[in-house]
Amino acid sequence: PASRVATLTGAPDLLEGALATLQLPPGAEVLGPVEVADDQRYVIRVPRTVGAELSAALVLMQAGRSARKEPHLRVDVDPVSLD
């Protein structure tokens, strides 16, 4: 595969705030949002060479949200399916 993919799923207002703080690596593409049940989903795609940087950025984002006692978002790295 030429790229790594992560999905962020949650309430629309929470996703907007999270994406604003997320420090994405060079070459990142943010696709979406797409409606998923009562939530929304964004897909983040990066070149394979910066996949570890994407994972680290997502960990930092979730850690910051947890420290501020904000609701968690669902984060999936390299999901099997985008359903």
Side-chain angles (χ1 to χ4, degrees):
S3 62
R4 302 282 309 267
V5 173
T7 61
L8 296 176
T9 306
D13 57 330
L14 298 177
L15 284 172
E16 293 298 324
L19 287 172
T21 63
L22 187 58
Q23 299 291 326
L24 293 172
E29 294 179 86
V30 179
L31 310 170
V34 175
E35 298 295 323
V36 180
D38 293 332
D39 290 330
Q40 287 184 345
R41 177 176 294 151
Y42 282 89
V43 176
I44 303 169
R45 181 173 54 191
V46 297
R48 191 154 206 58
T49 56
V50 293
E53 292 175 45
L54 174 61
S55 293
L58 292 168
V59 166
L60 285 175
M61 179 200 69
Q62 287 287 63
R65 293 182 62 75
S66 180
R68 293 186 300 274
K69 307 289 190 230
E70 295 176 350
H72 289 280
L73 298 172
R74 181 181 173 110
V75 177
D76 292 306
V77 178
D78 290 331
V80 174
S81 171
L82 295 177
D83 294 340

